[in-house]
Amino acid sequence: MSSKAKQPISSACMSNAIECKGALPTDGRGDAGLETRAFQKRLERHHDELRWLYMELYDNGDMFAELVDQMRRFFDDRPDRLKALDAAREEAGAWYRSQKMLGMQMYIDNFAGTIAGVEARLPYLERCRVNYIHLMPFLDTPTDKSRSDGGYAVKDFRSVRPDLGTMDDLAHLAQVCHERGISLCMDFVMNHTSEEHEWARRARAGEGEYMSRYFFEANQDVIDRYGRDVPQVFPTTAPGHWTYLPELGQCVMTQFYPYQWDLNYKNPRVFNEMMYNFLYLANQGIDIMRLDAVPYIWKQLGTNCRNLPQVHTLVRMMRMIGEVVCPGVVLLGEVVMAPVEVVPYFGTVEKPECHMLYNVTTMATTWHTVATGDVRLLRLQLDAVCGLPKEYTFLNYLRCHDDIGWGLDYPVLRRWGQEEVPHKRYLNDYFQGYAPGSTSRGALYNADPVTGDARFCATTASMCGIEAAGFEGDAEAMKVAVRKDLMLHAYMLTQSGLPIIYSGDEIGQINDYSYRDDPEKADDSRYIHRGAFPWGLVEEIDREGTVQNRIFLGLLELERIRCDDPVFSAEATVGTKDYSDVSILWIVRECAGKTLHAVFNFSDREKTIWMPEQAEYTDLLSGERTELASFELPAWGFAWFEL
Ligand code: GLC
């Protein structure tokens, strides 16, 4: 384990730090006997179930024994300070559910050049009140950007992309972050490797041991069957599920891009080795593992190869392995699927799988609501989420590094006369700025000429009209756009779960069209929202009245309120309220004898809002208490009134 002696770590825990206070150990070794007992106890708790699931899947006692041996080895290697953090987190319970958590997702190179650069920029992130950083893929990946999928084609799970730094830099960053009460999230890309990964290179050279770690197929019938049964991930940019390798006269399975080879988890060697990689990375100080594309990891001819029962077995095993070796580490499932498929990834309360999942349907439904001005579908979605056990923690977001796929509840929309294909066309037209009343700007993604399907890419600010208003120099339109942007963030912060800001959104960063001039990126419009962070604009935060000033300070205030007011606790009872106007979303949070009425106007018109009862409410934004029966809510405005 590395712990690079750079500059001394001086800063004290942030005020909003939740898990590090009092938990940071000295550098000396802990009590080895006590530690061993802690490991043994945790292993005893999970051993039988782990073994049972492993044997059911693999029927291989030797490989299971190897796994357990390695778990012990990784536990022994785990630095004392991480073990102490594990202990503190075990005691605290679900630390990631705290209302004080605020996340930010960023590309290291776009934000600060290197990992060391991110470390140097921590004061800015603290100023943003961020205490959870998701670093986008940073493991070694092919240098040709058109063959790296933004780092999701991993060449080596144990080394960092050289231009970003080293594994020592990462461990050091993690240590500094922990000192400041910040946790780190990384992508664990477990469905596939890059074609340049050592296993893939050896498989391509015909080594049977390595070929068995992927799916090779020469039989055209089988290939055709997969083509019929399995939906396409990237129908336009990477059609098909197989890539022909002339040197072997066979195809290799590549569900994503042709240079991302799907791993074969039917081979216990693959599972074991990937778990060792997971534990190795956890031991560098990673707190949250984002399980990339996890629904895809088990393939079975004759199925759609998504969300198969074996996927849940694998995730459950991973959860137990983590709980034994590094119980402070959280699994975040990237399950971009229909709601019925998403929730099972939490497992059950007794046999949990992921700690957290992306609230993907809510995200897509939010933008649907922006485009339609009709909150009915969003209410159904929010109420469904609120009806789940409170232990089920969602990660809430407006935008991330990926496109928005329009995964909406079409059976419901159909009842209201909206058919899937024309509705998606409407949404895509709207967000490209073609529909009447739209101020959004952005680009389509994977537009499929056969199905008429397409997804959408842009930054939050561009979708809210900040790009268009800035381009047109329209101050009035800018006012509305900034209001819309803040309203959507307020709505995100009103939900229970972990809110994540997409880096740049805190200062209203707009689309970056330069990817179109770069041949290695031009085909992938997701780069429109992966632009370099505009540090020049950060200076504008302190200039009264600028867009950056209004958004940044506006967000800070919302985040401060969310962090401090008990009504935002994860234990609150949350639901939506029926209101006579379909463009008004009304969320009610109740906790500790307080009731929050959060009201959001998804329309271009000012509205008069009638409160359920005339009473004295506190306006959380101004802090003022007023007797209220009704109030005026501007177009795209919101209010937080507490009773
Ligand atoms: C995930 C990532 C996406 C990537 C894909 C393949 O969905 O979010 O960016 O393209 O996995 O690894």
Side-chain angles (χ1 to χ4, degrees), residues 188-192 256 290-297 334-335:
F188 188 60
V189 186
M190 60 188 302
N191 178 66
H192 42 257
F256 288 80
R290 174 185 181 275
L291 308 186
D292 182 62
V294 67
Y296 300 80
I297 59 178
E334 191 225 1
V335 183

Side-chain angles (χ1 to χ4, degrees), residues 105 107 136-137 149-153 187 189 191-192 233-234 256-257 260 290 292-293 296 334 336 358 400-403 445 524 526 530:
Q105 170 183 5
Y107 283 94
M136 296 302 292
D149 186 20
Y152 284 99
D187 287 87
V189 186
N191 178 66
H192 42 257
V233 181
F234 299 133
F256 288 80
Y257 284 106
Q260 286 167 320
R290 174 185 181 275
D292 182 62
Y296 300 80
E334 191 225 1
V336 180
Y358 282 83
C400 71
H401 68 293
D402 278 330
D403 52 289
Y445 179 69
D524 193 336
R526 291 178 298 178
R530 298 176 183 176

Side-chain angles (χ1 to χ4, degrees), residues 287-323:
D287 304 281
I288 298 98
M289 287 286 176
R290 174 185 181 275
L291 308 186
D292 182 62
V294 67
Y296 300 80
I297 59 178
W298 193 273
K299 284 86 179 175
Q300 192 68 55
L301 187 62
T303 72
N304 69 357
C305 297
R306 308 278 198 272
N307 313 300
L308 297 179
Q310 293 86 344
V311 174
H312 291 281
T313 303
L314 292 170
V315 177
R316 174 71 190 137
M317 289 200 290
M318 191 168 179
R319 170 78 179 242
M320 288 190 279
I321 292 166
E323 281 187 7

Side-chain angles (χ1 to χ4, degrees), residues 12-18 20-21 125-127 129-131 179-182:
C13 290
M14 295 163 74
S15 57
N16 58 350
I18 36 107
C20 78
K21 278 190 195 129
L125 296 175
E126 288 179 316
R127 186 179 177 199
R129 300 184 65 95
V130 162
N131 50 21
E179 300 271 344
R180 295 172 180 229
I182 301 174

